[in-house]
Amino acid sequence: MGPLIFVLVLAILVVTVLARSVRIVPQARAGIVERLGRFARTLGPGLSIIVPFVDKVRYTIDLREQVVSFPPQPVITEDNLVVSIDTVIYFQVTDPVAATYEIANYIQAIEQLTMTTLRNIVGGMDLERTLTSREQINTELRGVLDEATGKWGVRVNRVELKGIDPPPSIQDSMEKQMRADRDKRAAVLTAEGTRQSAILTAEGEKQSAILTAEGEKQSQILRAQAQRESQILRAQGEAQAIETVFNAIHDGEPDQRLLSYQYLQMLPKIAQGDANKLWIVPSEIGKALEGIGSMVGQFTEDSEPSPRPADRTRRRTPKPHAVEAAQAEEATDTALQDAESEVQAAIAAAEDAAKGGLGGRRNETEANGDSAGPAQPAAQEPRPE
């Protein structure tokens, strides 16, 4: 029984020694081995053998990059405003021995160093610059942390500001300012749009007025040209008509009697019209009547038969040519009688018209009385000879 117990105790001791002699370190880890309280060596990943009861694995350090988020910390800006800043640190242990023996808790040390450095950086900026200078703050903070943590065996890869929260009152003021700024930009854009619209409208009206004026100018030019050509054609037509009448009159060789007769025919037309209150008999009417009288007298003398001699008592038988001459004389007498009757009628109408005009003139003069002064004779009635 005694040997069996001895063997069993020996086996337990062997197993215990073996268990304490073998160490397995995971990947991306590092084991710090102390021998009798002093640093002996660093165990790498995998299976390692140590001296039992002499060597001891003190710490196992994680060599992977780690991310640590620190809680919001109050920071005072240059313009005495308190803001809360959240930070995120990305770091990695590069020297397990230094991270173990140079500092007790490197994570806490990094946190405190981050807060103090952040207060120092933000304290030299106002609120607006703090909100718009994240990249500058990250760069300066990373440089300070990297320099301080180098002897700790820690490398700070990246520093980020997760949030910068100003006080609620400041946030309200910033929102109002932002709203006012946006309203201002909206008003400026609206005014600019209105200005551009007015400019374009004015340009359109200007172009329209220019085109309208050019159209009216062309229309007036064309209308003036058409009127000029019309007047030229009308003048040419009148000139041709006058020339034709002039040639016809000269070709017909009119005498004074025909002109006097035409003048008498125009007298009734001159006297026509209800608005003719005064009609003045021209002085040439006497000469016209003299010409008509002489013409009628000459026609009468020409139409009277010449006296035959008393000794010719016998009648001769009319010859054919004598009959034709007699008929011509009868036709001439008839024409002369008709012309004489027309002349007498024209003279009577002219005398009636002249008397009517002179009577109206005398009545108007008598009606005016003394206000018009002594009455002057308008015209003298012509007396036919």
Side-chain angles (χ1 to χ4, degrees):
M1 189 64 185
L4 183 59
I5 294 174
F6 178 75
V7 173
L8 183 58
V9 171
L10 184 59
I12 291 173
L13 289 174
V14 171
V15 171
T16 302
V17 170
L18 292 175
R20 294 179 67 89
S21 300
V22 176
R23 286 289 182 270
I24 299 175
V25 179
Q27 181 68 32
R29 301 289 194 279
I32 303 300
V33 179
E34 293 181 352
R35 179 172 293 178
L36 301 176
R38 294 181 62 183
F39 172 73
R41 59 193 178 97
T42 302
L43 299 179
L47 180 62
S48 301
I49 302 300
I50 62 174
V51 179
F53 304 106
V54 178
D55 296 339
K56 182 181 179 180
V57 178
R58 184 75 176 177
Y59 299 104
T60 302
I61 306 299
D62 193 350
L63 300 179
R64 296 174 296 177
E65 185 175 4
Q66 301 180 41
V67 181
V68 179
S69 177
F70 300 137
Q73 297 294 327
V75 180
I76 301 176
T77 61
E78 186 180 8
D79 49 358
N80 297 325
L81 294 176
V82 180
V83 295
S84 298
I85 300 178
D86 300 342
T87 56
V88 179
I89 304 297
Y90 298 83
F91 68 92
Q92 185 177 8
V93 177
T94 58
D95 189 357
V97 178
T100 302
Y101 296 105
E102 294 294 335
I103 189 168
N105 190 347
Y106 58 85
I107 295 179
Q108 185 179 2
I110 291 174
E111 179 182 1
Q112 296 301 322
L113 182 61
T114 300
M115 291 299 101
T116 55
T117 306
L118 192 60
R119 288 190 179 96
N120 186 22
I121 295 173
V122 176
M125 300 180 179
D126 56 4
L127 179 60
E128 185 176 358
R129 186 179 176 187
T130 301
L131 295 174
T132 57
S133 303
R134 290 174 177 262
E135 189 65 25
Q136 180 181 355
I137 296 173
N138 294 338
T139 303
E140 293 181 5
L141 184 59
R142 180 181 177 278
V144 173
L145 291 177
D146 195 13
E147 182 181 359
T149 59
K151 62 180 180 179
W152 299 341
V154 178
R155 183 180 64 195
V156 178
N157 297 327
R158 197 177 176 87
V159 179
E160 293 293 341
L161 300 181
K162 187 170 63 176
I164 301 176
D165 300 326
S169 59
I170 302 301
Q171 290 183 3
D172 188 18
S173 299
M174 292 174 62
E175 290 178 358
K176 291 180 179 179
Q177 181 180 1
M178 181 178 60
R179 190 179 302 109
D181 190 14
R182 290 181 178 177
D183 293 340
K184 175 184 175 182
R185 289 199 299 266
V188 170
L189 292 176
T190 302
E192 188 68 22
T194 305
R195 175 174 171 271
Q196 293 293 335
S197 176
I199 291 173
L200 294 177
T201 303
E203 288 290 339
E205 292 178 355
K206 175 183 176 183
Q207 294 295 331
S208 177
I210 291 173
L211 294 177
T212 303
E214 290 181 354
E216 292 179 356
K217 174 183 176 182
Q218 295 294 332
S219 176
Q220 292 178 0
I221 291 174
L222 295 176
R223 192 179 298 110
Q225 292 178 354
Q227 187 176 2
R228 183 187 66 180
E229 294 179 357
S230 176
Q231 291 178 356
I232 291 173
L233 294 176
R234 188 179 299 109
Q236 291 177 354
E238 292 177 357
Q240 292 178 359
I242 293 172
E243 183 179 1
T244 303
V245 173
F246 182 79
N247 294 331
I249 292 174
H250 282 274
D251 292 341
E253 296 180 356
D255 54 359
Q256 184 64 30
R257 294 176 296 177
L258 177 59
L259 295 178
S260 301
Y261 179 69
Q262 293 292 331
Y263 188 80
L264 289 176
Q265 286 184 341
M266 291 300 298
L267 288 178
K269 295 182 180 181
I270 296 175
Q272 288 179 358
D274 299 333
N276 293 332
K277 302 299 183 181
L278 176 62
W279 189 62
I280 299 174
V281 179
S283 60
E284 289 80 1
I285 192 171
K287 296 181 179 179
L289 293 177
E290 292 177 0
I292 293 297
S294 62
M295 179 183 65
V296 172
Q298 184 178 1
F299 284 166
T300 304
E301 292 175 358
D302 294 340
S303 60
E304 289 179 358
S306 58
R308 295 179 180 179
D311 55 352
R312 294 181 181 178
T313 56
R314 288 188 306 173
R315 292 181 176 269
R316 296 181 180 179
T317 303
K319 296 182 180 180
H321 64 275
V323 174
E324 294 177 0
Q327 293 178 356
E329 290 180 358
E330 291 179 0
T332 302
D333 294 338
T334 304
L336 289 174
Q337 291 176 2
D338 295 337
E340 185 177 359
S341 61
E342 290 179 2
V343 170
Q344 294 297 332
I347 292 172
E351 290 178 354
D352 294 338
K355 291 178 180 180
L358 293 175
R361 179 62 178 177
R362 291 193 185 96
N363 292 332
E364 290 180 359
T365 305
E366 293 175 359
N368 290 332
D370 297 336
S371 60
Q376 299 293 334
Q380 294 182 358
E381 296 182 0
R383 298 179 180 179
E385 296 180 0

